[in-house]
Each structure stands twice: as structure tokens, then as C-alpha cells.
Amino acid sequence: DWQGAAKAAERLIARGMAVLVEAYAPGIDLTVPVLGGEPPMMLGVVHPRSDRDGSIITEDLKRNDPLGYEMFNAEPALQAALADDDAALWAAVGPMDYFRIDYRFDPATGRRTFLEFNICCHIGRSGAICLAGAQWGLSQADILGHVIEYSLLRQNARAEARRWVL
């Protein structure tokens, strides 16, 4: 409940840590990494693993990531809904070089709850973006190369208006 969350947050804040508190939504966490482009490329649906009650991704799991990620086989309706979310986000705030959208998804009801999007997500070899990219044959170097190339092309297209960019 919120009182318990407030107490837990107070303990972390007292240790000098930043705290993000979200309402509980039943289900599992899903993350959707996307590479920028015209159109952007949704790499897949990834499930960050949790062994905690309610499949919650706790502070220690986020910091230490002992369980890692696994690909999630999204049914066609969910896949389409996530692609629609990506397109809507892109239309509202794009273009971006890469990003990730995080959800709680309840497989029993099909309900997805938006948690956040991250425009500078981790591109580590063991992270979600590299796991999802691997199913397309993309290595970490390929993903980094795409991010840099897309960024430079995007910035170069605007160089006329912003000569300081390149």
C-alpha cells in the first residue's frame, strides 16, 4: 500500500538515493527497445526477470541485474498494440536515436500499464536492447553503429539551420 511504499522510500532517501514509486499493476514487466529510423524499428519485446513477489523489479534487481532478461513472445494483438505505442511516442517526441518503453503487462487480462520511456537506455551486451537486437542478427557494435549513424544523419539534415552541429 502507499503507506508501506512511503516508509520504504523514506529509508532509501535517507541513504541519499533517488526514489521512483509506482502504483502496483499486476503482471510482469516488459520492455520494448526501439532503434530510431524512418520508420523506427521495434526490436522486440523483452521480459526483465524477477524472482520477487508480484514479479516486481526491485531496486537491487535494477542495480545488480542478477537474473537478466529474456525475449517475450508477444501475441499478435499485443505486438500490434506495442507497435502503435511506439509510433505514437515517435510522432509526439521523435526523432530519437534509440529508446525503450517499459510496461507492466498482465497476461491474464491483456492489460498493459505504461511505466516510462527512456531515451538513453543502457546498450550493454547483457541489456534488453542487445538481446532484442540479436534476434535480428545485430551485435552490440551494429546497434551502436546504427545509433551513431542515424544521429549524425539526422543532425546533418538540420546543419543548414544549425551550422554548429557538424
Side-chain angles (χ1 to χ4, degrees):
D1 64 13
W2 285 112
Q3 288 178 337
K7 288 178 185 176
E10 287 171 11
R11 286 192 302 272
L12 294 171
I13 291 168
R15 291 175 29 204
M17 299 174 73
V19 176
L20 171 66
V21 179
E22 301 163 337
Y24 176 75
I28 59 172
D29 282 27
L30 295 180
T31 188
V32 180
V34 179
L35 292 179
E38 296 299 334
M41 180 183 181
M42 187 171 103
L43 293 175
V45 182
V46 178
H47 169 56
R49 289 182 262 198
S50 172
D51 57 358
R52 306 301 159 89
D53 288 341
S55 297
I56 295 295
I57 304 295
T58 57
E59 174 234 357
D60 61 319
L61 288 176
K62 282 191 175 211
R63 293 190 182 276
N64 301 321
D65 191 22
L67 302 173
Y69 299 90
E70 62 189 358
M71 293 304 299
F72 181 82
N73 187 15
E75 298 295 325
L78 176 59
Q79 187 83 18
L82 296 172
D84 288 346
D85 291 348
D86 291 347
L89 181 64
W90 184 263
V93 298
M96 295 171 275
D97 303 326
Y98 68 106
F99 61 98
R100 184 191 77 219
I101 303 176
D102 294 340
Y103 300 88
R104 285 289 283 179
F105 174 69
D106 185 347
T109 64
R111 180 174 184 230
R112 69 188 190 287
T113 302
F114 172 81
L115 297 177
E116 68 176 350
F117 80 98
N118 185 328
I119 60 172
C120 293
C121 56
H122 176 62
I123 307 181
R125 283 187 299 260
S126 63
I129 196 166
C130 286
L131 176 63
Q135 72 177 353
W136 297 94
L138 300 173
S139 67
Q140 180 188 35
D142 295 330
I143 291 168
L144 289 168
H146 174 88
V147 167
I148 292 166
E149 181 178 3
Y150 180 71
S151 178
L152 290 173
L153 290 171
R154 185 173 53 78
Q155 292 175 52
N156 192 42
R158 297 177 187 214
E160 193 62 35
R162 300 182 193 144
R163 295 199 178 279
W164 56 269
V165 173
L166 287 176

